[in-house]
Amino acid sequence: MIKIFIGGVGHKVLGLLAEAGGLWQLARASLKRLLVGPFHSDPVRIRSTIFLMVKAGYDSLPLAALIALLTGMIMALQSAQQLTEVGAIGLMPNLVAASIIRELAPLLTAIIVAGRYGSAVAAELGTMKVSQEIDALTVMGLDTISFLVVPRILALIISLPCLVLFADFVGISGGLIIAVGVLNLGANGYMQSTFDTLGMEDLAMGLVKAFVFAVIIALVSCQQGLKTRGGAEQVGQATTISVVHSIVLIIAADLFVTAIFYLKG
Amino acid sequence: MAESRPQIEARGLVKTYGEHRILDGLNLSVNRGETLVILGASGSGKSTLLRSLIGLGRPDDGSVLVQGIDIFSTDRLSLKALRCRMGVAFQGGALFGSMTLAENIDLPLSEFTGLPASTRRIITQIKLGMVGLEDAMDLLPSQISGGMRKRAALARALALDPEILFFDEPSAGLDPVTAAGLDLLILQLKKVFHVTLVVVTHELTSAFSIADRLALMHEGRFLIIGSPADVQKSKDPIVRRFLDRLPEDKRKTSDFYQRFIEEEGDAQSIPEVDNES
Ligand SMILES: Nc1ncnc2c1ncn2[C@@H]1O[C@H](COP(=O)(O)OP(=O)(O)OP(=O)(O)O)[C@@H](O)[C@H]1O
Ligand SMILES: [Mg+2]
């Protein structure tokens, strides 16, 4: 019994290590293509990158905005309740803005994008793999990584931070709506104390997270898509796994980045 | 390039899946301008062999030389150049699902030729015209039939005027008229452009009409390889079984269609057979 359990755990661990190795290899290969590709007549594909940026960023705007707005409102209500008890309601704008910018906007936006863009990428590449389209690209002499993977990573690295900045703005507005509409605080005062207390470091932390999350989502979904074998069912599995793994890795990376900023500052 | 040197040379190919030895020390050589047709039962490893020849599935042992270049150990750039001289039409078509037929054929042109878009459009039109699909240019692969997809895949394989062409089951799933048209196209490619062809097929009629040499795969090797006449004369029981059993069925169907054509007097009214797997 114990043997089976340990065997099972060992198997899982080995599987995860293999997965991590695959991710690392894909990351290295992509970086290499990005940096030295242009010198070997393998340019970065600007057009498809822009097309994918629209898909990754613009198409997720409404959902990201909605979630940020609601989160801002929830944060305002939650902190108002706690802060009133200790008589420090004046700190509310600061608390809302800091949690949104440093933590919630990057995290929630990344999770939305993992669900929308990451799953779409895994499904697209998975379908291409099982229908031999990847093979067709290869025998045509086109490199899968520079043709498919690099644009998908680049697009997300650019659009996720933009989305996060947008979510910051909407989230703070959500807090403002609650402050003015429900708690009867002044709008000017609210914005004033928001801007007074926010530092570059808060913004930097949010953007570093957005960058790291973008790399995670793009790499995981491309890797899951490209290693798909079989048929439609496996494409579905690749899609699900890419979302689950992305989210787990995003949260782990979130802790890591937060800890670094904490230790440093 | 020297006429005498084989365009494709495979030595001692071995490929195993688990216990199963799909390729078992297979040797092969194809000369310039020659058409080699590979026959074999379903699952005998024809597609596996083809994948090795085009550098997709690395064999466990053995080597593949295409135009003298070892396809599994050459550097990236010469492999890329070599691949521009090779065209591959996959068993299932493998068209890019998010692109129209015209865009599918335009992709290798825009990637490798540097021609202006208007010229490429004309080339695309010509290539699709060769397979009778000029009217379907702006359709997506999902909007056309299986047989049309197969022909579009051929058009894409021809986009860069390859010197070597690989075909996996070109006529499976095509109606006899279109299939015969494809055979004709292959013969033309051979005659006019001296294209070297490796064709995998199940259609014996087609095999015998296009082949310079026929090879029958059995248990990971070629049981027999030779001119159609030689193969036809073979007394090997396995070869006989393969050749004699299938043609009977086939002849029945082609007779049926022959009568169909004569009675209707109009080849166009034959519905397209669309039973792609
Ligand atoms: N990726 C794989 N993993 C395991 N076995 C495989 C794999 N690919 C092919 N095979 C096995 O190899 C054998 C040969 O397959 P292959 O596709 O080459 O046959 P084929 O001759 O092309 O058949 P068909 O005429 O039906 O296309 C089959 O028995 C198949 O089960
Ligand atoms: Mg096959």
Side-chain angles (χ1 to χ4, degrees):
Chain A
M1 185 62 211
I2 292 175
K3 221 173 174 179
I4 294 175
F5 178 73
I6 292 176
V9 171
H11 205 77
K12 267 263 149 57
V13 169
L14 283 183
L16 284 178
L17 284 179
E19 205 92 311
L23 279 179
W24 172 241
Q25 270 180 4
L26 189 63
R28 264 185 32 185
S30 309
L31 195 63
K32 193 174 144 203
R33 299 296 193 285
L34 187 62
L35 297 180
V36 302
F39 303 104
H40 289 97
S41 68
D42 208 356
V44 175
R45 294 168 194 274
I46 312 272
R47 264 188 53 187
S48 76
T49 305
I50 292 175
F51 177 79
L52 286 157
M53 275 168 62
V54 172
K55 206 164 122 180
Y58 186 75
D59 290 355
S60 305
L61 267 182
L63 191 57
L66 177 68
I67 300 289
L69 184 74
L70 296 178
T71 311
M73 293 167 97
I74 295 167
M75 283 306 296
L77 283 173
Q78 289 277 19
S79 48
Q81 197 175 21
Q82 312 257 326
L83 290 171
T84 322
E85 270 173 34
V86 296
I89 188 76
L91 289 177
M92 194 266 265
N94 179 23
L95 190 59
V96 170
S99 9
I100 296 260
I101 291 176
R102 295 166 66 102
E103 185 59 53
L104 292 171
L107 184 64
L108 293 177
T109 310
I111 289 176
I112 292 169
V113 168
R116 283 186 54 104
Y117 178 78
S119 62
V121 165
E124 185 191 11
L125 297 192
T127 308
M128 290 184 75
K129 180 75 189 298
V130 299
S131 62
Q132 290 189 309
E133 287 175 44
I134 305 272
D135 288 341
L137 275 180
T138 308
V139 296
M140 248 178 217
L142 290 172
D143 183 77
T144 319
I145 301 215
S146 50
F147 195 76
L148 295 173
V149 178
V150 170
R152 275 159 183 75
I153 297 177
L154 271 187
L156 200 55
I157 285 179
I158 300 168
S159 46
L160 188 56
C162 298
L163 263 182
V164 167
L165 284 179
F166 177 72
D168 289 345
F169 173 75
V170 177
I172 291 173
S173 311
L176 179 67
I177 290 171
I178 292 294
V180 174
V182 180
L183 307 170
N184 294 317
L185 302 177
N188 280 338
Y190 186 95
M191 290 317 286
Q192 195 62 47
S193 58
T194 298
F195 285 122
D196 281 352
T197 48
L198 272 182
M200 273 323 279
E201 191 183 299
D202 299 305
L203 215 54
M205 188 199 240
L207 291 181
V208 167
K209 284 184 179 176
F211 174 82
V212 173
F213 298 167
V215 172
I216 289 174
I217 296 169
L219 279 177
V220 169
S221 53
C222 287
Q223 193 217 9
Q224 289 300 330
L226 288 179
K227 68 176 219 173
T228 310
R229 277 165 173 274
E233 194 186 328
Q234 281 77 10
V235 173
Q237 279 170 5
T239 312
T240 314
I241 292 175
S242 84
V243 176
V244 174
H245 285 194
S246 295
I247 292 178
V248 172
L249 285 174
I250 283 170
I251 294 176
D254 193 349
L255 174 64
F256 186 70
V257 175
T258 312
I260 287 180
F261 271 81
Y262 176 80
L263 293 176
K264 180 179 98 20
Chain B
M1 212 138 288
E3 293 277 327
S4 56
R5 187 167 70 194
Q7 288 280 291
I8 306 164
E9 203 172 9
R11 290 197 213 105
L13 289 185
V14 174
K15 180 84 185 175
T16 47
Y17 286 121
E19 298 275 280
H20 228 65
R21 231 171 151 83
I22 308 296
L23 302 179
D24 188 12
L26 186 141
N27 295 310
L28 164 78
S29 118
V30 188
N31 293 320
R32 187 170 137 80
E34 185 184 37
T35 300
L36 175 74
V37 173
I38 300 172
L39 296 166
S42 191
S44 58
K46 305 183 295 295
S47 296
T48 308
L49 170 62
L50 211 60
R51 286 179 68 81
S52 299
L53 296 182
I54 57 183
L56 278 180
R58 183 182 283 275
D60 303 331
D61 198 10
S63 64
V64 176
L65 302 180
V66 180
Q67 297 188 336
I69 298 169
D70 187 330
I71 201 160
F72 287 106
S73 66
T74 184
D75 60 290
R76 241 164 68 88
L77 281 185
S78 58
L79 183 61
K80 197 167 167 175
L82 178 62
R83 286 197 151 135
C84 288
R85 303 195 293 272
M86 296 166 42
V88 182
F90 285 88
Q91 193 163 2
L95 297 167
F96 302 118
S98 58
M99 301 180 182
T100 65
L101 296 196
E103 286 165 348
N104 261 283
I105 288 149
D106 185 60
L107 180 68
L109 293 171
S110 66
E111 286 292 329
F112 298 115
T113 63
L115 292 169
S118 53
T119 317
R120 298 201 313 262
R121 181 89 185 164
I122 294 169
I123 298 178
T124 306
Q125 247 157 358
I126 294 173
K127 300 291 169 184
L128 279 170
M130 283 167 85
V131 295
L133 284 177
E134 59 274 52
D135 297 330
M137 271 188 100
D138 297 311
L139 296 181
L140 288 169
S142 57
Q143 295 169 319
I144 60 177
S145 77
M148 289 163 87
R149 240 171 271 159
K150 216 148 223 171
R151 285 184 277 149
L154 169 60
R156 186 179 66 187
L158 291 174
L160 293 175
D161 296 319
E163 295 165 19
I164 307 175
L165 196 56
F166 296 88
F167 256 106
D168 204 347
E169 310 261 357
S171 42
L174 293 184
D175 64 279
V177 177
T178 316
L182 266 194
D183 288 350
L184 210 64
L185 179 63
I186 290 176
L187 289 171
Q188 271 167 3
L189 288 172
K190 197 161 85 171
K191 208 185 251 159
V192 182
F193 300 107
H194 304 288
V195 177
T196 308
L197 274 139
V198 177
V199 181
V200 167
T201 187
H202 278 132
E203 310 279 320
L204 287 177
T205 351
S206 152
F208 277 93
S209 69
I210 59 176
D212 295 316
R213 273 194 307 156
L214 280 168
L216 180 67
M217 258 190 102
H218 184 72
E219 293 181 344
R221 291 177 193 226
F222 288 143
L223 190 62
I224 183 170
I225 180 163
S227 71
D230 289 346
V231 173
Q232 196 62 276
K233 275 189 298 217
S234 165
K235 296 228 161 46
D236 186 294
I238 299 169
V239 178
R240 286 269 46 105
R241 207 167 61 213
F242 195 86
L243 294 184
D244 294 341
R245 189 167 50 91
L246 276 174
E248 272 178 13
D249 301 343
K250 291 288 152 190
R251 229 174 275 138
K252 216 176 283 164
T253 47
S254 49
D255 278 351
F256 171 80
Y257 275 103
Q258 193 61 45
R259 245 179 290 135
F260 189 88
I261 294 166
E262 279 160 9
E263 279 164 24
E264 298 291 308
D266 177 14
Q268 293 300 318
S269 66
I270 296 179
E272 179 155 317
V273 180
D274 184 3
N275 55 356
E276 195 215 20
S277 53

